[in-house]
Amino acid sequence: MWDVPSAVVVGERFRIKVGIKCSNECHLTNTDFGIYNDEGAQVAAGTLSDERWPGTTGLYVAEVELEAPAGEGLHTWSVRTKLETGPGSDVGIPHAEGSTDFGVRVVSAPECLVRVEAVDQITQTPISGARVVMHPYKAVSDEGGVAEVRVAKGAYTLFVSQTGYLTFRLPVEVDADVTARAELYLEPAPERN
């Protein structure tokens, strides 16, 4: 599973990628799978294409569109497939059911825009590619050091991090659009004995 968003709004649609591979590298083209919610009900189905993920020898992939649950919180969903024999397998190897779980974090509709300016504390130059987290919302700063995150009203801890810098942390109460400036300090050079 990948491309699962860090948070989805109640009832909105979103897309994820599902990859399935047999340890014997059986051909899995046209293999069906199901996606099940935390109550065990099937919420979507998919079929693997004949395309393999680039750089792999047998990871078959499909993209699936899902609808977020009606209730906020973290939901544990699963992908399941049962293969009787591998399609195209010359030896007819029986396959056990495969499954994996993944989390779907559901949030209320964002009401406010938080604009974060990430800069180097000494030079005051913008830091591009900084990771901005206001759990469960995430963003990355652009070339100008700016990241924008849409969030629901509430209390958050803002974290801004970038390789080579100490992580910036700031409690933020969001009840309207707000701008925060994150001045990041370079990590101290390791001492040599």
Side-chain angles (χ1 to χ4, degrees):
M1 306 297 311
W2 64 98
D3 287 351
V4 178
S6 60
V8 291
V9 174
V10 169
E12 284 193 357
R13 300 197 69 74
F14 64 101
R15 298 182 78 76
I16 63 169
K17 288 188 179 66
V18 174
I20 300 174
K21 178 179 180 174
C22 171
S23 60
N24 291 311
E25 297 192 14
C26 295
H27 298 282
L28 301 179
T29 301
N30 296 324
T31 297
D32 296 326
F33 60 89
I35 298 182
Y36 299 83
N37 67 17
D38 42 10
E39 296 165 357
Q42 187 170 342
V43 295
T47 302
L48 297 175
S49 69
D50 62 347
E51 291 185 42
R52 293 182 198 137
W53 192 251
T56 69
T57 57
L59 180 63
Y60 290 81
V61 178
E63 188 172 62
V64 182
E65 185 174 79
L66 303 167
E67 184 175 326
E72 294 179 38
L74 180 61
H75 300 265
T76 302
W77 286 9
S78 64
V79 176
R80 296 185 214 148
T81 185
K82 182 173 175 83
L83 305 170
E84 298 303 324
T85 57
S89 171
D90 294 333
V91 292
I93 299 171
H95 292 82
E97 178 179 287
S99 72
T100 188
D101 293 341
F102 64 100
V104 178
R105 168 124 3 235
V106 181
V107 296
S108 60
E111 306 159 291
C112 303
L113 176 68
V114 178
R115 186 173 191 270
V116 179
E117 300 168 347
V119 297
D120 180 287
Q121 193 274 331
I122 301 295
T123 65
Q124 295 296 300
T125 56
I127 299 174
S128 67
R131 293 168 298 284
V132 174
V133 177
M134 294 177 70
H135 186 71
Y137 306 98
K138 298 177 185 178
V140 175
S141 65
D142 62 18
E143 291 298 319
V146 176
E148 293 184 340
V149 184
R150 295 201 69 75
V151 303
K153 292 180 180 179
Y156 298 90
T157 300
L158 166 66
F159 294 95
V160 182
S161 62
Q162 175 60 294
T163 304
Y165 288 89
L166 298 173
T167 299
F168 175 88
R169 178 182 174 175
L170 177 70
V172 179
E173 183 70 38
V174 179
D175 55 10
D177 292 353
V178 64
T179 297
R181 186 171 177 85
E183 296 188 359
L184 279 67
Y185 292 86
L186 283 170
E187 288 180 341
E191 293 184 21
R192 297 193 177 186
N193 295 337

